[in-house]
C-alpha cells in the first residue's frame, strides 16, 4: 500500500500458516530498514491464511484488510472439515486492541430456478451495521470443509472470491460488501 501517495509502497500485509495477519513497515529507503509493524489479526492455527489479502481505504479511518482462510497443500487437507472464515479487519495505523468481530451468517443452500437455469444460492441472514468503535471488523463463517484458496478481489464496493470444498468438488462465488461483510 502506498499510504502517503508518493508512488512507493510503504505498508504491506501478509498472512501466515498459523492464522495470523501481519502489517509490515516498508517506509525505510532500503530493505534492511523494513520491519514487522504489528499483528492486525490473531487467528487460530486451524484457520491458515495462504493467499494475499486485498486492502482498501477504510470508510472511517485507516485501511480495511480483506482476506480468508483455508489451505490445500497436502492430501489430508482434502478431507479437512475445519471451519474457515472470510474477514474484513480494520487497521487504524496502530497495534489494535482486541474488540472482537461482528459475525455475518450465511443461509443454507436455497435452490433458485429462473431463465431456464437452476442453481443453489446462499444469502446473508444478518445485516446489522458495524459500530467500528466496538469491533475490529467482520467475519463470515463458511460451512465445514469450505475454504478460500484464491486471492479475494475488491470491485465496485464488493469483495469477491471463489470458495472451494475439495472434498465435495464444489465451488462458490462469494460476494460481500467490503465495509459491512
Amino acid at each position: 500500500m502506498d499510504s502517503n501517495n508518493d508512488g512507493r509502497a510503504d505498508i504491506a500485509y501478509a498472512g501466515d500458516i498459523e492464522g495470523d495477519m501481519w502489517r509490515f513497515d516498508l517506509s525505510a529507503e532500503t530493505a534492511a530498514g523494513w520491519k514487522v509493524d504489528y499483528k492486525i489479526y490473531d487467528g487460530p492455527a486451524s484457520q491458515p491464511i495462504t493467499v494475499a489479502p486485498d486492502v482498501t481505504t477504510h470508510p472511517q479511518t485507516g485501511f480495511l484488510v480483506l482476506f480468508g482462510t483455508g489451505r490445500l497443500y497436502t492430501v489430508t487437507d482434502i478431507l479437512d472439515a475445519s471451519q474457515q472464515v472470510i474477514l474484513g479487519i480494520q487497521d487504524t495505523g496502530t497495534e489494535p486492541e482486541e474488540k472482537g468481530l461482528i459475525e455475518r451468517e450465511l443461509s443454507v443452500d436455497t435452490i433458485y430456478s429462473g431463465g431456464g437455469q437452476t442453481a443453489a444460492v446462499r444469502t446473508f441472514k444478518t445485516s446489522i451495521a458495524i459500530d467500528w468503535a466496538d469491533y475490529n471488523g467482520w467475519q463470515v463463517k463458511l460451512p465445514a470443509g469450505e475454504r478460500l484458496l484464491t486471492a479475494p478481489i475488491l470491485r465496485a464496493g464488493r469483495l469477491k472470491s471463489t470458495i472451494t470444498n475439495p472434498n465435495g468438488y464444489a465451488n462458490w462465488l462469494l460476494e460481500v460488501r467490503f465495509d459491512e461483510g
Side-chain angles (χ1 to χ4, degrees):
M1 288 290 307
D2 179 7
S3 66
N4 58 6
N5 298 317
D6 66 355
R8 293 180 36 198
D10 42 31
I11 300 171
Y13 297 92
D16 65 30
I17 201 77
E18 297 298 319
D20 302 322
M21 179 61 67
W22 300 88
R23 175 183 161 129
F24 296 86
D25 178 353
L26 309 179
S27 62
E29 292 294 320
T30 65
W34 298 349
K35 63 182 180 183
V36 174
D37 241 355
Y38 48 84
K39 188 187 302 186
I40 69 162
Y41 175 72
D42 186 11
S46 62
Q47 295 178 340
I49 302 167
T50 59
V51 297
D54 202 348
V55 182
T56 189
T57 303
H58 189 278
Q60 293 178 0
T61 184
F63 298 104
L64 192 59
V65 184
L66 305 156
F67 59 99
T69 66
R71 68 180 232 176
L72 188 57
Y73 290 160
T74 67
V75 173
T76 57
D77 290 339
I78 294 171
L79 299 177
D80 179 14
S82 60
Q83 186 167 57
Q84 304 300 318
V85 293
I86 308 297
L87 301 117
I89 305 294
Q90 182 181 22
D91 177 18
T92 60
T94 60
E95 191 163 354
E97 62 178 272
E98 184 56 45
K99 296 187 284 187
L101 303 172
I102 194 164
E103 291 189 23
R104 301 301 191 207
E105 188 178 353
L106 286 172
S107 69
V108 295
D109 294 355
T110 302
I111 303 301
Y112 169 79
S113 295
Q117 301 291 321
T118 300
V121 176
R122 295 179 189 157
T123 58
F124 290 95
K125 291 182 179 181
T126 55
S127 60
I128 301 165
I130 296 176
D131 182 346
W132 291 98
D134 295 333
Y135 295 99
N136 293 94
W138 54 262
Q139 75 173 350
V140 176
K141 291 182 178 179
L142 299 174
E146 295 186 6
R147 60 205 81 182
L148 187 137
L149 300 174
T150 58
I153 299 171
L154 183 62
R155 296 289 184 267
R158 298 198 176 271
L159 180 70
K160 300 176 184 206
S161 187
T162 303
I163 306 303
T164 302
N165 184 341
N167 189 31
Y169 306 106
N171 294 304
W172 296 88
L173 174 63
L174 179 75
E175 184 173 313
V176 298
R177 282 185 45 182
F178 83 96
D179 57 342
E180 294 283 334

